[in-house]
């Protein structure tokens, strides 16, 4: 392929995916005729997690006083700013670990250190999506981050025969973060191409995006 090959983002619409779906089989079904050896397959983080059964309804959580207190210190736009969001984190990472990390983060900010809460609060601290964070009907659920994301993308790469695989956490606030990436892929470079959120939210149902000609793009910009 010529060196002037251009990047193209191709959102792939699907039906609503649930924990009854296998993410590898599903992505192959929707993309096998559209993806080539120089392309990257990218999948929305929340959808991978949903197919793994990593979602819980808020009403099924037992809210503790500690969660009610701690959530007050999270900015309103954060997924952990509600008692349910905070409780879901404490259920998987430990109540006192989360509370301690939040306190350490508060002290850290005083001396100019940022991000200690997300560093010490556990893996799921930055991954949980509170209600309204994903497509219906799971907009009524709290969705955890996916399990073994690097393993999932390697399986996708092998199954599809493409250049690489990526799981990304992207939203409409111009945030695009790598959750899992295959070996040899510059995940940060790929995630930056998704900054305008081609996955969409809510009713768009385009949880898969193919990044065409990414191999050449990465080689030219490395």
């Amino acid at each position: 392929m010529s060196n002037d090959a251009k990047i193209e983002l191709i959102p792939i619409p699907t039906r609503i995916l649930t924990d009854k779906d296998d993410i590898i089989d599903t992505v192959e079904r929707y993309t096998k005729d559209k993806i080539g050896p120089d392309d990257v397959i990218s999948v929305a983080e929340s959808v991978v997690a949903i197919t793994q059964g990593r979602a819980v309804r808020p009403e099924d959580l037992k809210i503790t006083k500690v969660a009610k207190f701690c959530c007050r210190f999270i900015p309103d736009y954060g997924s952990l700013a509600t008692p349910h969001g905070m409780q879901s984190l404490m259920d998987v990472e430990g109540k006192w670990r989360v509370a301690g990390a939040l306190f350490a983060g508060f002290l850290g900010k005083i001396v100019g250190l940022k991000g200690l809460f997300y560093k010490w609060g556990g893996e799921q601290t930055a991954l949980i999506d509170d209600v309204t964070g994903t497509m219906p009907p799971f907009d009524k659920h709290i969705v955890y981050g996916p399990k073994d994301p690097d393993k999932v993308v390697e399986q996708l790469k092998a199954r599809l025969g493409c250049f690489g695989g990526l799981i990304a956490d992207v939203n409409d606030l111009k945030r695009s973060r790598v959750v899992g990436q295959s070996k040899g892929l510059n995940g940060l470079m790929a995630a930056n191409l998704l900054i305008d959120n081609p996955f969409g939210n809510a009713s768009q149902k385009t949880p898969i995006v193919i990044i065409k000609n990414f191999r050449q793009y990465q080689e030219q910009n490395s």
Side-chain angles (χ1 to χ4, degrees):
M1 185 173 293
S2 64
N3 290 332
D4 60 354
K6 294 183 179 180
I7 286 288
E8 182 182 4
L9 302 181
I10 303 179
I12 305 295
T14 71
R15 58 175 171 76
I16 292 176
L17 304 179
T18 73
D19 58 355
K20 305 299 183 183
D21 294 292
D22 178 276
I23 191 62
I24 309 300
D25 292 341
T26 299
V27 173
E28 180 185 33
R29 184 182 315 121
Y30 283 102
T31 67
K32 62 182 179 180
D33 297 327
K34 302 177 179 68
I35 193 164
D38 294 322
D39 304 337
V40 165
I41 187 72
S42 57
V43 188
E45 167 232 9
S46 58
V47 172
V48 177
I50 285 168
T51 62
Q52 295 173 332
R54 295 176 61 78
V56 61
R57 293 183 64 87
E59 56 266 33
D60 293 334
L61 296 170
K62 184 178 180 180
I63 309 299
T64 63
K65 292 181 180 179
V66 178
K68 290 179 180 178
F69 176 76
C70 287
C71 72
R72 299 176 183 177
F73 298 93
I74 303 296
D76 290 343
Y77 57 80
S79 290
L80 305 177
T82 67
H84 295 90
M86 183 61 70
Q87 187 63 55
S88 69
L89 176 64
M90 290 180 169
D91 284 351
V92 295
E93 299 292 0
K95 176 172 64 177
W96 297 116
R97 175 182 184 176
V98 173
L102 189 63
F103 181 66
F106 173 75
L107 295 179
K109 287 183 179 180
I110 294 176
V111 297
L113 296 176
K114 297 181 179 181
L116 295 184
F117 171 55
Y118 292 96
K119 180 179 180 181
W120 293 341
E123 179 186 27
Q124 292 297 319
T125 305
L127 296 179
I128 287 176
D129 281 329
D130 201 352
V131 293
T132 75
T134 187
M135 68 177 62
F138 294 99
D139 55 340
K140 301 298 187 292
H141 290 65
I142 294 170
V143 181
Y144 294 102
K147 182 180 179 181
D148 299 326
D150 288 336
K151 180 179 179 181
V152 172
V153 292
E154 290 293 350
Q155 291 175 332
L156 285 170
K157 176 182 176 180
R159 179 75 70 87
L160 299 171
C162 56
F163 175 65
L166 180 75
I167 296 174
D169 178 14
V170 185
N171 63 28
D172 291 333
L173 301 176
K174 301 290 184 180
R175 186 187 73 167
S176 181
R177 187 169 57 85
V178 177
V179 177
Q181 65 185 64
S182 58
K183 295 177 181 177
L185 174 69
N186 187 323
L188 180 59
M189 187 181 292
N192 285 339
L193 294 171
L194 303 171
I195 198 72
D196 290 324
N197 195 13
F199 296 110
N201 286 322
S203 61
Q204 287 96 326
K205 301 189 191 72
T206 53
I208 306 166
V209 174
I210 297 172
I211 308 177
K212 299 293 292 184
N213 306 321
F214 184 81
R215 184 200 298 267
Q216 288 81 9
Y217 180 83
Q218 178 171 305
E219 291 173 352
Q220 292 167 12
N221 291 278
S222 296

